[in-house]
Every structure is written in C-alpha cells, then in structure tokens.
Amino acid sequence: GENVGLHLPTLSVQEGDNSIINCAYSNSASDYFIWYKQESGKGPQFIIDIRSNMDKRQGQRVTVLLNKTVKHLSLQIAATQPGDSAVYFCAETWIGNQFYFGTGTSLTVIP
Amino acid sequence: EAGVTQFPSHSVIEKGQTVTLRCDPISGHDNLYWYRRVMGKEIKFLLHFVKESKQDESGMPNNRFLAERTGGTYSTLKVQPAELEDSGVYFCASSQDSRSDLGTEAFFGQGTRLTVV
C-alpha cells in the first residue's frame, strides 16, 4: 500500500505486504530528516533518519528514501506487521533549528 | 537510562483555569523542545531551550503560554488562562546537540493530553 503526500492521511495494508508512506517536506534548506512512529497514548518514537547528503538509508525492515529535487521523503516498511499500526510522521530540520513535522499518516495493518 | 518524562499524562481543566505541564529531559541533554498536537493536525513547534536559555520561541501561540527551564534541567509550560483551543497533546523532546550535522535525533516524552472544557 502507498500514501501520497498529505492528501491521504490513512493507509491500510494487509499483514505481510510492504507499506510506503510518503511525505513532502517544505524547506529546501532542510538537511536532516527523521521518521517517527507514534502509537496511541505514546510520544513519537524514532524510526530512522537520513541526512541530505544521502538518498537512501536502510534499517531493520525500514528504508527511507530522500529525493531533494522534489523535496520528497518516503518510508518503506517491509513485511508489515500488526505492531506497525500507528501514525507515522516525517520531520525535517536544518542546522540549529527545531524539527518541523508533517500532518502524519495513520497506518492500519489488516491481519 | 530514563527517557524524557512528562507530567501529568492527562489534565482536564475548565476554561479560565491555569495548568502547568512539566518535562524532565534526558540527563545531559542541553536541548529541550516543546511541541503541541491538536486533534488531527500536525505536531507544531512551540519553543526550544538550549540549557536555560530560550533559543527560539517563535511557535508560542500567545502570551497565555509561559515556558521556563530553571537551571537548564526540567522545564515547565504554563497556560494561564486556558482556553478551549488549547486542548491537545503537548510533547516535550530533548536532544544532545541541536546541530543537525551531527544528525542528533530528538527523543520525545509520552505527552500530556490537555483537555479544556
């Protein structure tokens, strides 16, 4: 399943499928990006980060892709599990500044 | 090591009352941030402390909000008097260094859910 930008704030995927969550960031000066996962009743938790001198970074079951040309960030989750159900936020920042967050995408994994 | 802790986890107050939220950052983190998420909307920046100094308070909505960080340790965010539109979840985050060339992430607390009725 795939979400495009902020126009589709919800995403439902079948367990075991891959998920793609997209984010359009706003500032071309942003040089550091983070994906956060927020479960109900908890604060945002760090998933993966990427600096602007990279275009791809992989973690455990997650991959972040950065396209600076179009100011686009995506989070790919492989073999999505029920525990992945949460709201996912991308955040951007540049030196000395705070993090700016997107609206978030609610991911629901269907068993 | 303890993470970022916030107190209370939930507060329900009447319009016009005062509420004080507290955040204890991770020990040794100079940077402390306050954010707010209003229902269904993005997480919005309120302000940023570096130690005890306010680095950036451009996100504070109005003068009913007052943040302090005495001694560069814990921080408080006071809302006085509270209005209905202040309802939301208030997050605190801390990081070791705000320079993004070090790629330092911000660690978040669990948030304080404020409901103004």
Side-chain angles (χ1 to χ4, degrees):
Chain A
E2 181 170 348
N3 157 271
V4 178
L6 301 177
H7 303 292
L8 295 172
T10 62
L11 177 65
S12 296
V13 298
Q14 288 290 141
E15 181 179 357
D17 286 353
N18 296 333
S19 301
I20 300 175
I21 301 172
N22 295 294
C23 177
Y25 64 92
S26 59
N27 195 327
S28 56
S30 293
D31 57 6
Y32 181 53
F33 305 86
I34 299 179
W35 277 101
Y36 283 95
K37 171 186 179 183
Q38 187 184 3
E39 297 174 278
S40 180
K42 297 183 180 179
Q45 294 176 286
F46 173 90
I47 301 174
I48 191 168
D49 60 357
I50 188 168
R51 302 179 193 180
S52 60
N53 60 355
M54 304 168 67
D55 53 22
K56 180 179 180 179
R57 190 162 189 222
Q58 287 185 294
Q60 188 177 16
R61 282 202 308 117
V62 294
T63 301
V64 56
L65 299 176
L66 174 63
N67 185 330
K68 294 180 290 295
T69 302
V70 294
K71 294 190 288 186
H72 184 268
L73 197 67
S74 69
L75 176 70
Q76 300 178 0
I77 305 174
T80 314
Q81 303 169 359
D84 295 328
S85 293
V87 177
Y88 290 81
F89 293 95
C90 67
E92 60 179 307
T93 190
W94 52 99
I95 293 177
N97 280 277
Q98 24 77 10
F99 291 89
Y100 292 89
F101 286 81
T103 301
T105 297
S106 177
L107 175 66
T108 301
V109 181
I110 304 167
Chain B
E1 179 184 356
V4 177
T5 56
Q6 293 184 243
F7 181 83
S9 58
H10 194 182
S11 178
V12 181
I13 61 171
E14 293 183 350
K15 176 182 173 181
Q17 289 186 320
T18 297
V19 63
T20 300
L21 314 180
R22 173 170 170 144
C23 169
D24 286 80
I26 292 173
S27 177
H29 281 192
D30 289 341
N31 297 280
L32 188 149
Y33 309 84
W34 281 100
Y35 286 85
R36 175 173 72 172
R37 186 179 184 210
V38 176
M39 182 64 73
K41 297 190 176 179
E42 68 268 30
I43 299 175
K44 282 203 166 182
F45 168 78
L46 295 177
L47 89 160
H48 170 204
F49 284 100
V50 177
K51 297 185 181 178
E52 68 276 7
S53 300
K54 292 177 184 174
Q55 175 82 359
D56 180 354
E57 52 184 329
S58 61
M60 295 288 264
N62 52 59
N63 59 11
R64 295 186 293 102
F65 288 75
L66 175 64
E68 295 179 324
R69 190 181 182 193
T70 306
T73 54
Y74 70 91
S75 175
T76 57
L77 179 64
K78 179 190 288 187
V79 185
Q80 179 182 31
E83 298 290 343
L84 298 179
E85 64 265 24
D86 300 333
S87 296
V89 181
Y90 290 76
F91 292 106
C92 174
S94 72
S95 69
Q96 194 164 13
D97 196 302
S98 65
R99 291 183 301 150
S100 66
D101 58 348
L102 295 182
T104 304
E105 66 192 86
F107 295 85
F108 281 77
Q110 83 282 5
T112 294
R113 181 173 295 279
L114 175 64
T115 304
V116 183
V117 296

Coordinates of all heavy atoms in Angstrom, one line a residue, chain B residues 25-111:
Chain B
P25 N 13.9 16.3 30.8 CA 14.6 15.7 29.6 C 15.5 14.6 30.0 O 15.7 14.4 31.2 CB 15.3 17.0 29.1 CG 15.6 17.7 30.4 CD 14.4 17.5 31.3
I26 N 16.1 14.0 29.1 CA 17.1 13.0 29.3 C 18.4 13.8 29.9 O 18.7 14.8 29.4 CB 17.5 12.3 28.0 CG1 16.4 11.4 27.6 CG2 18.8 11.4 28.2 CD1 16.5 10.8 26.2
S27 N 18.9 13.2 30.9 CA 20.0 13.8 31.6 C 21.2 14.1 30.7 O 21.6 13.2 29.9 CB 20.5 12.9 32.7 OG 21.6 13.4 33.4
G28 N 21.7 15.3 30.7 CA 22.8 15.7 29.9 C 22.4 16.3 28.6 O 23.2 16.8 27.8
H29 N 21.1 16.3 28.2 CA 20.6 16.9 27.0 C 20.4 18.4 27.2 O 19.6 18.8 28.0 CB 19.3 16.3 26.6 CG 19.5 15.0 25.9 ND1 18.5 14.3 25.2 CD2 20.6 14.1 25.8 CE1 18.9 13.2 24.7 NE2 20.2 13.1 25.0
D30 N 21.2 19.2 26.5 CA 21.1 20.6 26.6 C 19.8 21.2 25.9 O 19.3 22.2 26.3 CB 22.3 21.3 26.0 CG 23.6 21.1 26.8 OD1 23.4 20.8 28.0 OD2 24.7 21.3 26.3
N31 N 19.4 20.5 24.9 CA 18.3 21.0 24.1 C 16.9 20.4 24.6 O 16.8 19.2 24.7 CB 18.5 20.7 22.6 CG 19.7 21.4 22.1 OD1 19.7 22.5 21.8 ND2 20.8 20.6 22.1
L32 N 16.0 21.3 24.8 CA 14.7 20.8 25.2 C 13.6 21.6 24.3 O 13.7 22.8 24.1 CB 14.4 21.2 26.6 CG 13.2 20.6 27.3 CD1 13.4 20.3 28.8 CD2 12.0 21.5 27.1
Y33 N 12.7 20.8 23.8 CA 11.7 21.4 22.9 C 10.3 21.1 23.4 O 10.1 20.0 24.0 CB 11.8 20.7 21.5 CG 13.2 20.7 20.9 CD1 14.1 19.7 21.2 CD2 13.5 21.6 19.9 CE1 15.3 19.6 20.6 CE2 14.8 21.6 19.3 CZ 15.7 20.6 19.7 OH 16.9 20.6 19.1
W34 N 9.4 22.0 23.2 CA 8.0 21.8 23.4 C 7.3 21.8 22.1 O 7.5 22.7 21.3 CB 7.4 22.9 24.4 CG 7.7 22.7 25.8 CD1 8.7 23.3 26.5 CD2 7.0 21.8 26.7 NE1 8.7 22.9 27.8 CE2 7.7 22.0 28.0 CE3 6.0 20.9 26.6 CZ2 7.2 21.3 29.1 CZ3 5.6 20.3 27.8 CH2 6.2 20.5 29.0
Y35 N 6.4 20.8 21.9 CA 5.6 20.7 20.7 C 4.1 20.5 21.2 O 3.8 20.0 22.3 CB 6.0 19.5 19.9 CG 7.3 19.7 19.1 CD1 8.5 19.5 19.7 CD2 7.2 20.2 17.8 CE1 9.7 19.6 19.0 CE2 8.4 20.4 17.0 CZ 9.6 20.1 17.7 OH 10.8 20.3 16.9
R36 N 3.2 20.8 20.3 CA 1.8 20.5 20.6 C 1.1 19.9 19.3 O 1.4 20.3 18.2 CB 1.1 21.9 20.9 CG -0.4 21.7 21.1 CD -1.0 23.0 21.6 NE -1.1 24.1 20.6 CZ -1.7 25.2 20.8 NH1 -2.3 25.4 21.9 NH2 -1.7 26.1 19.8
R37 N 0.3 19.0 19.6 CA -0.5 18.4 18.5 C -2.0 18.6 18.9 O -2.5 18.0 19.8 CB -0.2 16.9 18.3 CG -0.9 16.4 17.1 CD -0.6 14.9 16.8 NE -1.3 14.5 15.5 CZ -1.7 13.3 15.3 NH1 -1.5 12.3 16.2 NH2 -2.3 13.0 14.1
V38 N -2.6 19.3 18.0 CA -4.1 19.5 18.2 C -4.7 18.4 17.3 O -4.2 18.0 16.3 CB -4.5 20.9 17.7 CG1 -6.0 21.1 17.7 CG2 -3.8 22.0 18.6
M39 N -5.9 17.9 17.8 CA -6.5 16.8 17.2 C -6.5 16.8 15.6 O -7.0 17.7 15.0 CB -8.0 16.7 17.6 CG -8.8 15.6 17.1 SD -8.1 14.0 17.7 CE -8.7 14.1 19.4
G40 N -5.9 15.7 15.1 CA -5.9 15.5 13.6 C -5.0 16.4 12.9 O -4.9 16.3 11.6
K41 N -4.2 17.2 13.6 CA -3.3 18.1 12.8 C -1.8 17.7 13.1 O -1.6 16.8 13.9 CB -3.6 19.6 13.2 CG -5.0 20.0 12.9 CD -5.2 21.5 13.0 CE -6.5 21.9 12.6 NZ -6.8 23.4 12.7
E42 N -1.0 18.5 12.5 CA 0.5 18.2 12.6 C 1.0 18.5 14.0 O 0.4 19.3 14.8 CB 1.3 18.9 11.5 CG 1.4 20.4 11.7 CD 0.3 21.1 10.9 OE1 -0.8 20.5 10.7 OE2 0.5 22.2 10.5
I43 N 2.1 18.0 14.3 CA 2.8 18.4 15.6 C 3.5 19.7 15.3 O 4.4 19.8 14.5 CB 3.9 17.3 15.9 CG1 3.2 15.9 16.2 CG2 4.6 17.7 17.2 CD1 4.1 14.8 16.4
K44 N 3.1 20.7 16.1 CA 3.6 22.0 15.9 C 4.6 22.4 17.0 O 4.4 22.2 18.2 CB 2.5 23.0 15.8 CG 1.8 23.0 14.5 CD 1.1 24.3 14.3 CE 0.6 24.5 12.8 NZ 0.0 25.8 12.5
F45 N 5.7 23.0 16.5 CA 6.7 23.5 17.4 C 6.2 24.7 18.3 O 5.5 25.6 17.8 CB 7.9 24.0 16.6 CG 8.9 24.8 17.3 CD1 9.9 24.2 18.1 CD2 9.0 26.2 17.2 CE1 10.8 24.9 18.7 CE2 9.9 26.9 17.8 CZ 10.9 26.3 18.6
L46 N 6.6 24.7 19.5 CA 6.3 25.8 20.4 C 7.5 26.6 20.7 O 7.6 27.8 20.5 CB 5.6 25.3 21.7 CG 4.2 24.6 21.5 CD1 3.7 24.1 22.9 CD2 3.2 25.6 20.9
L47 N 8.5 25.9 21.4 CA 9.7 26.6 21.6 C 10.9 25.7 21.9 O 10.7 24.5 22.1 CB 9.6 27.6 22.8 CG 9.8 27.1 24.2 CD1 10.1 28.3 25.1 CD2 8.7 26.3 24.7
H48 N 12.1 26.2 21.9 CA 13.3 25.5 22.1 C 14.2 26.1 23.1 O 14.5 27.3 23.0 CB 14.0 25.4 20.7 CG 15.3 24.9 20.7 ND1 16.2 25.2 19.6 CD2 16.0 24.0 21.5 CE1 17.4 24.6 19.9 NE2 17.3 23.9 21.0
F49 N 14.6 25.4 24.1 CA 15.6 25.8 25.0 C 17.0 25.2 24.7 O 17.0 24.0 24.4 CB 15.2 25.3 26.5 CG 14.1 26.1 27.1 CD1 12.8 25.6 27.2 CD2 14.4 27.3 27.8 CE1 11.8 26.3 27.8 CE2 13.3 28.0 28.4 CZ 12.1 27.5 28.4
V50 N 18.0 26.0 24.9 CA 19.3 25.5 25.0 C 19.8 25.8 26.4 O 20.0 26.9 26.7 CB 20.3 26.1 23.9 CG1 21.7 25.5 24.1 CG2 19.8 25.8 22.5
K51 N 19.9 24.7 27.1 CA 20.2 24.9 28.6 C 19.0 25.7 29.1 O 17.9 25.4 28.9 CB 21.5 25.5 28.9 CG 22.7 24.5 28.4 CD 24.0 25.0 28.8 CE 25.1 24.1 28.2 NZ 26.5 24.6 28.5
E52 N 19.3 26.8 29.8 CA 18.2 27.6 30.4 C 17.7 28.7 29.6 O 16.8 29.4 29.9 CB 18.7 28.1 31.8 CG 19.7 29.2 31.7 CD 21.1 28.6 31.7 OE1 21.3 27.4 31.5 OE2 22.1 29.4 31.7
S53 N 18.3 28.9 28.4 CA 18.0 30.0 27.5 C 17.0 29.6 26.5 O 17.1 28.5 25.9 CB 19.3 30.5 26.9 OG 20.2 31.0 27.9
K54 N 16.1 30.5 26.1 CA 15.2 30.3 25.1 C 15.9 30.6 23.7 O 16.2 31.7 23.4 CB 13.9 31.2 25.3 CG 13.1 30.8 26.5 CD 11.9 31.7 26.7 CE 11.2 31.3 27.9 NZ 10.1 32.3 28.3
Q55 N 16.1 29.5 23.0 CA 16.7 29.7 21.7 C 15.8 30.2 20.6 O 16.1 31.0 19.8 CB 17.3 28.3 21.3 CG 17.9 28.3 19.9 CD 19.3 28.8 19.9 OE1 19.8 29.2 20.9 NE2 20.0 28.8 18.8
D56 N 14.5 29.7 20.7 CA 13.5 30.0 19.7 C 12.2 29.8 20.3 O 11.9 28.7 20.8 CB 13.7 29.1 18.5 CG 12.7 29.4 17.4 OD1 11.8 30.2 17.5 OD2 12.9 28.7 16.3
E57 N 11.4 30.9 20.4 CA 10.0 30.7 21.0 C 9.0 31.2 20.0 O 7.9 31.6 20.3 CB 9.9 31.5 22.3 CG 10.4 32.9 22.3 CD 10.3 33.5 23.7 OE1 9.4 33.1 24.5 OE2 11.1 34.4 24.0
S58 N 9.4 31.1 18.7 CA 8.5 31.6 17.6 C 7.2 30.9 17.5 O 6.2 31.4 16.9 CB 9.2 31.6 16.3 OG 9.6 30.2 16.0
G59 N 7.1 29.7 18.1 CA 5.9 28.9 17.9 C 4.9 29.1 19.1 O 3.8 28.5 19.0
M60 N 5.3 29.8 20.1 CA 4.3 30.1 21.2 C 3.2 30.9 20.7 O 3.3 31.9 20.1 CB 5.1 30.8 22.3 CG 6.2 30.1 22.9 SD 5.6 28.7 24.0 CE 5.6 29.5 25.6
P61 N 1.9 30.3 20.9 CA 0.8 30.9 20.2 C 0.4 32.3 20.7 O -0.1 33.1 20.0 CB -0.3 29.9 20.5 CG 0.1 29.1 21.6 CD 1.6 29.1 21.6
N62 N 0.6 32.6 22.0 CA 0.2 33.9 22.6 C 0.8 34.0 24.0 O 1.5 33.1 24.5 CB -1.3 34.1 22.6 CG -2.0 32.9 23.3 OD1 -1.7 32.6 24.4 ND2 -2.8 32.2 22.5
N63 N 0.6 35.1 24.6 CA 1.2 35.4 25.9 C 0.5 34.7 27.0 O 0.9 34.9 28.2 CB 1.3 36.9 26.2 CG -0.1 37.5 26.2 OD1 -1.1 36.9 26.1 ND2 -0.1 38.9 26.2
R64 N -0.5 33.8 26.7 CA -1.0 33.0 27.8 C -0.1 31.8 28.1 O -0.3 31.1 29.0 CB -2.4 32.5 27.4 CG -3.4 33.6 27.2 CD -4.8 33.1 27.0 NE -5.0 32.4 25.7 CZ -5.0 31.1 25.5 NH1 -4.9 30.3 26.5 NH2 -5.1 30.6 24.3
F65 N 0.8 31.6 27.2 CA 1.8 30.4 27.4 C 3.1 31.0 27.9 O 3.7 31.9 27.3 CB 2.0 29.7 26.0 CG 0.8 28.9 25.6 CD1 -0.3 29.6 25.1 CD2 0.8 27.6 25.6 CE1 -1.4 28.9 24.6 CE2 -0.3 26.8 25.2 CZ -1.4 27.5 24.7
L66 N 3.6 30.3 29.0 CA 4.9 30.7 29.5 C 5.7 29.5 29.8 O 5.2 28.6 30.5 CB 4.7 31.5 30.8 CG 5.9 31.9 31.6 CD1 6.8 32.8 30.7 CD2 5.6 32.5 32.9
A67 N 6.9 29.4 29.2 CA 7.8 28.3 29.4 C 9.0 28.7 30.2 O 9.5 29.8 30.0 CB 8.1 27.7 28.1
E68 N 9.4 27.9 31.1 CA 10.6 28.1 31.8 C 11.5 26.9 31.9 O 10.9 25.8 31.8 CB 10.3 28.6 33.2 CG 9.6 30.0 33.3 CD 9.2 30.4 34.7 OE1 8.9 29.6 35.5 OE2 9.3 31.7 34.9
R69 N 12.8 27.1 32.1 CA 13.7 25.9 32.3 C 14.7 26.4 33.3 O 15.8 26.8 32.9 CB 14.3 25.5 31.0 CG 15.0 24.2 31.1 CD 15.7 23.7 29.9 NE 16.3 22.4 30.0 CZ 17.2 21.9 29.2 NH1 17.5 22.5 28.1 NH2 17.7 20.7 29.4
T70 N 14.4 26.3 34.5 CA 15.2 26.7 35.6 C 16.5 25.8 35.7 O 16.4 24.6 35.8 CB 14.5 26.7 36.9 OG1 13.3 27.4 36.8 CG2 15.3 27.2 38.1
G71 N 17.6 26.5 35.7 CA 18.9 25.7 35.9 C 19.2 24.8 34.7 O 20.1 24.0 34.8
G72 N 18.5 25.0 33.6 CA 18.8 24.1 32.5 C 18.5 22.7 32.6 O 19.0 21.8 31.9
T73 N 17.6 22.4 33.6 CA 17.2 20.9 33.8 C 15.8 20.7 33.3 O 15.6 20.7 32.1 CB 17.4 20.5 35.3 OG1 16.6 21.5 36.1 CG2 18.8 20.6 35.7
Y74 N 14.9 20.6 34.2 CA 13.5 20.3 33.8 C 12.9 21.6 33.3 O 13.4 22.7 33.5 CB 12.7 19.7 34.9 CG 12.4 20.7 36.1 CD1 11.2 21.5 36.1 CD2 13.3 20.9 37.1 CE1 11.0 22.4 37.1 CE2 13.0 21.7 38.2 CZ 11.8 22.5 38.1 OH 11.6 23.4 39.1
S75 N 11.8 21.5 32.6 CA 11.1 22.6 32.1 C 9.6 22.6 32.4 O 9.0 21.5 32.6 CB 11.2 22.7 30.5 OG 10.4 23.7 30.0
T76 N 9.0 23.7 32.5 CA 7.6 23.8 32.8 C 6.9 24.7 31.7 O 7.6 25.6 31.1 CB 7.2 24.4 34.1 OG1 7.8 25.7 34.2 CG2 7.7 23.5 35.3
L77 N 5.7 24.3 31.3 CA 4.9 25.1 30.4 C 3.6 25.4 31.1 O 2.8 24.5 31.4 CB 4.7 24.3 29.1 CG 3.9 25.0 28.0 CD1 4.6 26.2 27.5 CD2 3.6 24.0 26.9
K78 N 3.4 26.7 31.3 CA 2.2 27.1 32.0 C 1.2 27.8 31.0 O 1.6 28.6 30.1 CB 2.5 28.1 33.1 CG 1.3 28.6 33.8 CD 1.7 29.8 34.8 CE 2.4 29.3 36.0 NZ 2.6 30.5 37.0
V79 N 0.0 27.4 31.1 CA -1.1 28.0 30.3 C -2.0 28.7 31.2 O -2.6 28.1 32.1 CB -1.8 27.0 29.5 CG1 -2.8 27.7 28.5 CG2 -0.9 26.1 28.7
Q80 N -2.1 30.1 31.1 CA -2.9 30.9 32.0 C -3.4 32.1 31.3 O -2.6 33.0 30.9 CB -2.0 31.3 33.2 CG -2.7 32.1 34.2 CD -1.8 32.6 35.4 OE1 -0.6 32.7 35.2 NE2 -2.3 32.7 36.6
P81 N -4.7 32.3 31.2 CA -5.8 31.4 31.5 C -6.0 30.4 30.3 O -5.8 30.8 29.2 CB -7.0 32.3 31.7 CG -6.7 33.4 30.8 CD -5.2 33.6 30.8
A82 N -6.4 29.2 30.6 CA -6.6 28.2 29.5 C -7.8 28.6 28.7 O -8.9 29.0 29.3 CB -6.6 26.8 30.1
E83 N -7.8 28.3 27.4 CA -8.9 28.5 26.5 C -9.2 27.1 25.9 O -8.4 26.2 25.8 CB -8.6 29.5 25.4 CG -8.3 30.9 26.0 CD -9.6 31.6 26.5 OE1 -10.7 31.1 26.2 OE2 -9.4 32.6 27.3
L84 N -10.4 27.0 25.3 CA -10.8 25.7 24.7 C -9.9 25.3 23.6 O -9.6 24.1 23.5 CB -12.2 25.9 24.1 CG -13.4 26.2 25.1 CD1 -14.7 26.3 24.4 CD2 -13.4 25.1 26.2
E85 N -9.4 26.2 22.8 CA -8.5 25.9 21.7 C -7.1 25.4 22.1 O -6.3 25.0 21.3 CB -8.3 27.0 20.7 CG -7.6 28.2 21.3 CD -8.6 29.3 21.8 OE1 -9.8 28.9 22.2 OE2 -8.2 30.5 21.8
D86 N -6.8 25.5 23.4 CA -5.5 25.0 23.9 C -5.5 23.5 24.1 O -4.5 22.9 24.3 CB -5.2 25.6 25.3 CG -5.1 27.2 25.2 OD1 -4.8 27.7 24.1 OD2 -5.4 27.8 26.2
S87 N -6.7 22.9 24.0 CA -6.7 21.4 24.1 C -5.9 20.7 23.1 O -5.8 21.1 21.9 CB -8.2 20.9 24.0 OG -9.0 21.4 25.0
G88 N -5.2 19.7 23.5 CA -4.3 18.9 22.6 C -3.4 18.1 23.4 O -3.4 18.0 24.6
V89 N -2.4 17.5 22.7 CA -1.4 16.8 23.3 C -0.1 17.6 23.3 O 0.3 18.0 22.2 CB -1.2 15.4 22.7 CG1 -0.1 14.6 23.5 CG2 -2.4 14.6 22.7
Y90 N 0.5 17.8 24.4 CA 1.7 18.6 24.5 C 2.9 17.7 24.7 O 3.0 16.9 25.6 CB 1.7 19.6 25.6 CG 0.7 20.7 25.4 CD1 -0.7 20.5 25.5 CD2 1.1 22.0 24.9 CE1 -1.6 21.5 25.2 CE2 0.2 23.0 24.7 CZ -1.1 22.8 24.8 OH -2.0 23.8 24.5
F91 N 3.8 17.7 23.7 CA 5.0 16.9 23.8 C 6.2 17.7 24.1 O 6.4 18.8 23.7 CB 5.2 16.2 22.4 CG 4.2 15.2 22.0 CD1 3.3 15.5 21.1 CD2 4.2 13.9 22.6 CE1 2.3 14.6 20.7 CE2 3.2 13.0 22.3 CZ 2.3 13.3 21.3
C92 N 7.1 17.0 24.9 CA 8.4 17.6 25.2 C 9.4 16.6 24.5 O 9.2 15.4 24.5 CB 8.6 17.6 26.7 SG 10.2 18.1 27.2
A93 N 10.5 17.2 24.0 CA 11.6 16.4 23.4 C 12.9 17.0 23.9 O 13.0 18.2 24.2 CB 11.5 16.4 21.9
S94 N 13.9 16.1 23.9 CA 15.2 16.6 24.2 C 16.2 16.0 23.3 O 16.0 14.9 22.7 CB 15.6 16.3 25.7 OG 15.9 15.0 25.9
S95 N 17.3 16.7 23.0 CA 18.4 16.2 22.2 C 19.7 16.7 22.7 O 19.8 17.7 23.5 CB 18.2 16.6 20.7 OG 18.4 18.0 20.6
Q96 N 20.7 15.9 22.4 CA 22.1 16.2 22.9 C 22.7 17.4 22.3 O 23.3 18.2 22.9 CB 22.9 15.0 22.7 CG 24.2 15.0 23.5 CD 24.8 13.6 23.6 OE1 24.5 12.7 22.8 NE2 25.8 13.5 24.4
D97 N 22.4 17.6 21.0 CA 23.0 18.7 20.3 C 22.1 19.1 19.1 O 21.6 18.2 18.4 CB 24.4 18.3 19.7 CG 25.2 19.5 19.3 OD1 24.7 20.3 18.4 OD2 26.3 19.6 19.8
S98 N 21.8 20.4 19.0 CA 20.9 20.8 18.0 C 21.5 20.9 16.6 O 20.7 21.1 15.7 CB 20.2 22.1 18.4 OG 21.2 23.2 18.4
R99 N 22.8 20.8 16.5 CA 23.4 20.9 15.2 C 23.1 19.7 14.3 O 23.5 18.6 14.7 CB 24.9 21.2 15.3 CG 25.2 22.5 15.9 CD 26.7 22.7 15.9 NE 27.4 21.6 16.7 CZ 28.6 21.2 16.4 NH1 29.3 21.7 15.4 NH2 29.1 20.2 17.1
S100 N 22.4 19.9 13.3 CA 21.9 18.7 12.5 C 23.1 18.1 11.8 O 22.9 16.9 11.3 CB 20.8 19.1 11.5 OG 21.3 20.0 10.6
D101 N 24.2 18.7 11.7 CA 25.3 18.0 11.0 C 25.8 16.8 11.8 O 26.5 16.0 11.3 CB 26.5 18.9 10.7 CG 27.0 19.6 11.9 OD1 26.4 19.5 13.0 OD2 28.1 20.2 11.8
L102 N 25.4 16.8 13.1 CA 25.7 15.6 13.9 C 24.6 14.6 13.8 O 24.7 13.5 14.3 CB 25.9 16.0 15.4 CG 27.1 16.9 15.6 CD1 27.3 17.2 17.1 CD2 28.4 16.2 15.1
G103 N 23.5 15.0 13.2 CA 22.4 14.0 13.0 C 21.8 13.6 14.3 O 21.6 12.4 14.5
T104 N 21.7 14.5 15.2 CA 21.2 14.1 16.5 C 19.7 14.1 16.6 O 19.1 15.1 16.3 CB 21.7 15.0 17.6 OG1 23.2 15.0 17.5 CG2 21.3 14.5 19.0
E105 N 19.1 13.0 16.9 CA 17.7 12.9 17.0 C 17.1 13.5 18.2 O 17.9 13.7 19.2 CB 17.3 11.4 16.9 CG 17.7 10.7 18.2 CD 17.6 9.2 18.1 OE1 18.5 8.6 17.5 OE2 16.5 8.7 18.5
A106 N 15.9 13.8 18.2 CA 15.2 14.3 19.4 C 14.4 13.2 20.0 O 13.7 12.4 19.2 CB 14.3 15.5 19.0
F107 N 14.5 13.0 21.3 CA 13.7 11.9 21.9 C 12.5 12.6 22.6 O 12.6 13.6 23.3 CB 14.6 11.3 23.0 CG 15.8 10.6 22.5 CD1 17.0 11.2 22.2 CD2 15.7 9.2 22.3 CE1 18.1 10.6 21.7 CE2 16.8 8.5 21.8 CZ 18.0 9.2 21.5
F108 N 11.4 11.9 22.4 CA 10.1 12.5 22.9 C 9.6 11.9 24.1 O 9.8 10.6 24.3 CB 9.0 12.4 21.8 CG 9.2 13.4 20.7 CD1 10.1 13.3 19.7 CD2 8.3 14.5 20.7 CE1 10.2 14.2 18.7 CE2 8.4 15.5 19.7 CZ 9.4 15.3 18.7
G109 N 8.9 12.6 24.9 CA 8.2 12.1 26.1 C 6.8 11.6 25.6 O 6.5 11.6 24.4
Q110 N 6.1 11.0 26.5 CA 4.8 10.4 26.1 C 3.7 11.4 25.9 O 2.6 11.1 25.4 CB 4.4 9.4 27.2 CG 3.7 9.9 28.4 CD 4.6 10.6 29.4 OE1 5.8 10.8 29.2 NE2 4.0 11.0 30.5
G111 N 4.0 12.6 26.3 CA 3.0 13.7 26.1 C 2.1 13.9 27.2 O 1.8 13.0 28.1

